[in-house]
Amino acid sequence: MKNLKVFSESRAAVNLQAESEELLVSALDVEQNRIFFASSANIIYGINLSASQEMQWTINLCLQSELGLPPILEAEDRITGLDYLIEQEALIVGTSTGDLVLVVPTSNTVDVVGKVEGGVKTIASSPDGALLIVATGFGQLLAMTQDWDVLYEVSYDLDNNLETFMSGTRADGISGLSSPFSQVRVSWRGDGKYFATLGCSGNSEGLQRLRIWERESGTLHSSSEPKDFMEAAMDWMPSGAKVAAACNTSKTKNCASVAFFERNGLERGSFDIYGTTEAKIEMLKWNCNSELLAALVRYDEWSSIQIWSFSNYHWYLKQEWRYLGKNKLMFAWDPERPMRAICWTAYGLVHLLTLCWSSAVYDASIAIVIDGVNVLVTPLSLSLVPPPMSHFNIMFQSAVQSVAFTSRGLESHLAVGLSDGNLSIVKFPNMNMWDQLEGTVYETVNVDPGSLIKIEFGDLRHLTWLDPYVILGVMHCDGDQTSLYSDFISNNWRKCPLMSGGNNGVSILVEMELVCNNVEEVEPGCLSSSGWVVKSSMHTVIESSVVAIAANPMTRCEAFIQLGNGDIVSYMSKEGINIAPAELYKEKRSNLKGFLSYCPWMYPIPVYDYGKLKVLIFGLDEDGRLQVNGQVICSTCTSFSFYASAAGKVQEVVTHLIYTTRQDLLIVANIDEIFHGDVHYESMGNGQSPVGFGNKLQGENKLIREGNHDELKVWERGAKLIGIINGDEAAVILQTVRGNLEVIYPRKLVLLAIAGALVDKRFKDAVSLVRQHRINYNIIVDYCGWQSFVEAASEFVRKINNLSHITEFVCALKHENVMETLYKDILLPNHQDNKIECGSQIFLSNTDSPLEFGNQTIIKRLEPGNEIVSKNCKVRAVLEAVRKVLEEEVSKSPARELCILTTLACNDPPELEEALKRIKKWRETEIASTMNEVDGGLHKLNLSAEEALKHLLWLSEPDAVFHAALGLYDLHLAAIVALNSQRDPKEFLPFLQELENMPSPVMCYTIDCKLCRYESALKNIAAAGDAYFEECLQLMKSNPKLFALGLDIFKDVGKRAVILEAWGDHLFSEERFEEAAMAYCSTCSFQKALGSFRAGGLWKEALTMAGMLRLTTDEVSSLANDLCEELQALGKPAEAAKIALGYCKDVQGAINLLLTAREWLEALRIGFLYDMGELVKSQVKLAAIECANLLILEYEEGIEKVGKYLARYLAVRQRRLLLAAKLEMEGKAKEDVDDDTFSETSSNISGMSAYTLGNSKASNASGNLSTSSTGSHVRTRIRTRRKVHGGKIRAGR
């Protein structure tokens, strides 16, 4: 979906020397950008196209030379062929008398290099310039080299040989001399292997053949069937796929047509030329990339150049330029610039036009495609169909050149510039009524533009709406042509001298205010194009070319105009141009900067900058550089568009830029990053490749983060971005090279749309987007925080109003926070504070209501006393809130009951017992209703308990439901569950029967034990009586956590003593000796308590228990000695010293133990207390010195180890840094480094440890030995590690 527009044009004039002189043939010099013309006066002219200068070079081949030599050509000679030879930098001229003249423009030298019989009809050099084909008037083709040697000579009219033409009689009886070949066309294939000819005399019926010839031998390769070709209009597509030829089909189709032939001569397709029967195709020309086909069509009153394009198996007429009068018109494409066209008249007026493709998708995603006299209109939001299909069609009186569409509010207008110089305005109905227009064809009535200037080469370009009733366009004219408007300009013109360099003439800005006089006569839902007239107009002359015009999206009646050098100026309706817009906009909108080069594609967009609405102007030049604010965003861009996510909230602003690159990548970029981030190039390969944005995030509340989701690989090569559907749709429309349309939904834009819907509490839209794009349902809860969602649960259920969707939502809930896991690199949560930053736009909470999303309500819910605090409560809290709303606000229905069951089954943990209780209640209600005892409400709802049970079994594990039914002690319900869960009756019936035969407490105990509900089992078995106390004790022993509950249940002293003793035994087995001793003490089991204290090393408590047991002195002394030995073994010599001194009366032993514990002062105190001072001094001194020496030795060894390790670490780090620097200088990537370089280092380091006591030589020797002996294994491990970790050099720490 694209249209072809003229974004730049210039003119030049060839000053012909004679009054009746006409230009006949032409040739292009690609290297120096020159064009040469040969006139009827045998004069060759040359002009420079790049500077658009007038005549630069002239030579007359009929004048006598300065040396007195005769003229090259006689007066009766006529130049019939002209071509430029690149290798020789000269022109080759062919004449009607057969002379071949070589003209060198740089030296003005002329030389006759040959002569052919019958005269020259045409000259065509091969694409490589090595071969020259000359067609003679006798029907011969001569292949000549650069040295003018003839390689071969063949006849291109095989129906008539040379003797026939020399004798003057053809095979069909017509005189050959009286009917010479009027036109002959030779066209080469792009690779130069074949060439085609057309224009022979034909047969008696006037039918001709298209012939394909081989380059090397001149052998006829193939020929077409005889066909009524029109003149010699034929051209071979440079890509070599097809040969286009004009055919006369006026007898069958009342119009001319263009047919396509393959190399084998078979016809493959055609299309008809718009026009009447008198239209004649005089020339066909492909551009250099085979994308456009130009047809020069002659009518009775004018000539036109039609530009055709092929897409989706259809030929479109994209442009038509009309030239009034019967002057001869010629056309050529630039051989190197595919979008540059050159046309000229026989009287020397040269017109250069530069074309570009523009997107056919306008505001509100309306596609308006030009196809000749038709405009194909398709609202992409209603029907996504590619051209040539459309929603409806608008037909005009002549071919459409340009269109401009505006949609502001309820009014939508289409302005169409036609090739006949007229302007047509179409008013569209409200878009809500466009469904009625599907398949219709509407014919318009042309508008008389009143004072619209009409001149030759003066069409209205760059149509732009400033207001629904004000339109702006540009006309280009030469400086000399401004005198034609002197009478008109004196009253309503302005002049703005903005020079852009070069003599490109001037541009005239034409502003027209329109009015429709028949508004009341328009039927609702219909198009209208009548009654439009020009109320007033204003013209502003700019001494510069205009590349593009775009309306200001923020204000009405204002537009931005891009000049030829990339500068941007602003235009105000009825005021003209602001000459210094940068200063004017500095305070109001800022960032109004020009481009580094002219950009045919320019789009201004509104953005938010810290809460202020401003304008950014994006531009794309012909080299693929996407620019904004004087910086290049991407250097390989092929197409771009914008996405606005705030549709319907406040004024629509753009939040994201979407563009495609030559690498077939679709990139979604945040406008805020472009507006404030740093733009930088990254070198990739041979040159500058696309650019990246600064990695610095602007603020912590950015909605979008940069991540892996910014780039999407386009599945089909060459696909272009043609449009975006804004708002919740978040659709990106791509058109492939074939022409079909593809729609993708980038995850980033979809999540952004969901976030906007959640902020606006449009829960229904959010759920619809989640379901449509298969987004995780948890984003609905996690984006604004589950606490906020709990408060808004009522509003959520009410707005969704679809229990099926609510059930899907309930089933998808998980404890995982997807904002921290799945979408953490794309979307930031909105519960950080009381606002959300949507790209560049900020949404604030409307009220302080507790139902509002925001930090205030979260803080309120986290106040003390609130039960919903833990993060793990997400699922339970949300489901309880939803279930409560369903029970209180939703009317009873089977779907509601099933949804409530779903909330119970999906809870964490599942509330299966509660669900079964509801099912049991429904079953009882069913039975009562059946027996006419109660009027059951649920029975009237046609929801049976069996259906509800099957639903519960579908949501949960059947075993879990069966166990839950057992947990209710309802054996009948358990049997029903088992039957519906397809259990084998042989498995569950005996078990249920056994339970049924048990006493009730024992049955409950058995069920509880099976379900591992031991607390309930203990209570139930305790209620069974004293006969089951032993089973109670065994249950507590097998589940020690039940001892405390057992003490609460049993109040009998004897039973409590048994329980406490059993509890103490359990604690002792778990080596919780102190607690076990306390339990034993509670039952007066002091002997067991003594053993527990002794086992735990609690000597004080143990000796206390000895006193409680009334042990003798010897027994206490023996116990003390044992405790002393045990404490020494446990590494507690100081404690052992106390026992030795206090209970064993061993002073020397106590002092020795204190020295072992390094308790020097305590040892001295005890020694002096028992009159052993001198002996103790000597012992303490020796022990202290020995201890000090040991500590010093350990310290020195530690210092030595640290020094060795530090030196080795610095050496390895330095080696890594040097290697990394060397690789960087050599241009190698770190991933390509061979880790074998570090194998020796790794081995040496692995031989050292914190407990290595050997010297460095021993360590190195050990390391080298390890390396040499296990080298192959080391390399194998390194290669494996490289595969896993990518082989990167680890950064030093």
Side-chain angles (χ1 to χ4, degrees), residues 262-283:
E262 295 180 348
R263 192 187 66 184
N264 56 14
L266 298 179
E267 183 178 350
R268 287 292 182 267
S270 64
F271 68 88
D272 298 332
I273 295 291
Y274 288 106
T276 57
T277 55
E278 72 274 5
K280 295 183 180 180
I281 304 175
E282 296 184 348
M283 180 185 293

Side-chain angles (χ1 to χ4, degrees), residues 912-913 916 957-971 973-974 977 983 991-992 995 1002-1018 1020 1035 1039 1042:
L912 298 179
E913 293 188 1
L916 288 172
E957 290 292 334
D959 290 343
V961 180
F962 178 72
H963 292 160
L966 285 177
L968 295 176
Y969 311 121
D970 190 336
L971 300 182
L973 180 61
V977 171
R983 280 175 169 263
F991 175 69
L992 294 179
L995 292 176
V1002 178
M1003 179 194 71
C1004 296
Y1005 163 75
T1006 306
I1007 292 175
D1008 290 336
C1009 289
K1010 181 177 179 60
L1011 301 181
C1012 300
R1013 300 189 306 186
Y1014 299 110
E1015 292 185 1
S1016 177
L1018 181 60
N1020 287 322
L1035 180 62
N1039 297 278
L1042 299 178

Side-chain angles (χ1 to χ4, degrees), residues 698-923:
Q698 301 293 327
E700 297 180 356
N701 286 321
K702 290 185 71 62
L703 188 64
I704 299 297
R705 291 176 177 170
E706 291 187 11
N708 299 329
H709 304 78
D710 286 343
E711 296 183 359
L712 301 175
K713 184 66 177 179
V714 180
W715 62 94
E716 185 161 346
R717 186 175 182 180
K720 299 290 184 66
L721 175 65
I722 64 169
I724 305 290
I725 300 180
N726 295 323
D728 290 345
E729 189 68 22
V732 176
I733 305 173
L734 297 173
Q735 187 168 28
T736 63
V737 178
R738 303 190 308 270
N740 60 309
L741 299 181
E742 300 289 346
V743 181
I744 63 174
Y745 300 88
R747 184 56 53 92
K748 174 181 285 189
L749 299 186
V750 171
L751 292 177
L752 187 66
I754 295 173
L758 292 175
V759 169
D760 296 339
K761 295 186 180 179
R762 293 183 287 112
F763 293 112
K764 187 173 184 179
D765 296 336
V767 170
S768 177
L769 288 171
V770 167
R771 297 182 73 251
Q772 178 182 355
H773 300 287
R774 297 185 178 181
I775 304 298
N776 194 310
Y777 264 106
N778 287 270
I779 193 175
I780 298 176
V781 177
D782 296 336
Y783 179 68
C784 294
W786 63 266
Q787 298 93 340
S788 299
F789 182 86
V790 168
E791 296 292 344
S794 175
E795 188 174 0
F796 172 79
V797 174
R798 185 176 66 256
K799 289 185 176 181
I800 296 298
N801 195 25
N802 189 316
L803 293 173
S804 177
H805 294 173
I806 296 176
T807 302
E808 290 182 19
F809 164 77
V810 168
C811 293
L813 278 182
K814 303 293 180 185
H815 280 300
E816 174 192 8
N817 188 342
V818 295
M819 301 307 302
E820 298 177 356
T821 55
L822 189 59
Y823 304 127
K824 66 176 181 179
D825 293 329
I826 311 176
L827 203 62
L828 283 180
N830 185 39
H831 53 76
Q832 294 181 359
D833 55 19
N834 201 31
K835 67 179 180 180
I836 170 180
E837 185 178 7
C838 182
S840 299
Q841 184 174 1
I842 298 176
F843 298 89
L844 296 177
S845 299
N846 297 326
T847 65
D848 294 330
S849 171
L851 295 182
E852 286 293 322
F853 293 104
N855 191 43
Q856 295 178 356
T857 55
I858 295 176
I859 294 176
K860 182 176 180 180
R861 281 188 295 274
L862 295 181
E863 290 177 353
N866 197 304
E867 297 180 357
I868 306 176
V869 177
S870 174
K871 180 179 179 181
N872 295 329
C873 295
K874 167 189 166 182
V875 174
R876 174 172 291 275
V878 170
L879 293 186
E880 287 181 357
V882 172
R883 181 167 65 252
K884 182 178 180 181
V885 175
L886 290 173
E887 292 174 346
E888 295 178 356
E889 300 184 13
V890 179
S891 58
K892 292 184 178 180
S893 67
R896 189 201 77 158
E897 301 303 327
L898 293 179
C899 189
I900 293 175
L901 272 183
T902 305
T903 61
L904 293 170
C906 295
N907 211 333
D908 190 13
E911 298 183 34
L912 298 179
E913 293 188 1
E914 182 65 26
L916 288 172
K917 288 179 181 179
R918 296 180 69 93
I919 295 175
K920 183 178 179 180
K921 181 179 178 181
W922 299 340
R923 182 173 174 274

Side-chain angles (χ1 to χ4, degrees), residues 484-495:
L484 299 175
Y485 315 113
S486 57
D487 296 337
F488 175 81
I489 287 175
S490 58
N491 295 325
N492 55 354
W493 85 314
R494 296 171 181 265
K495 185 174 182 180

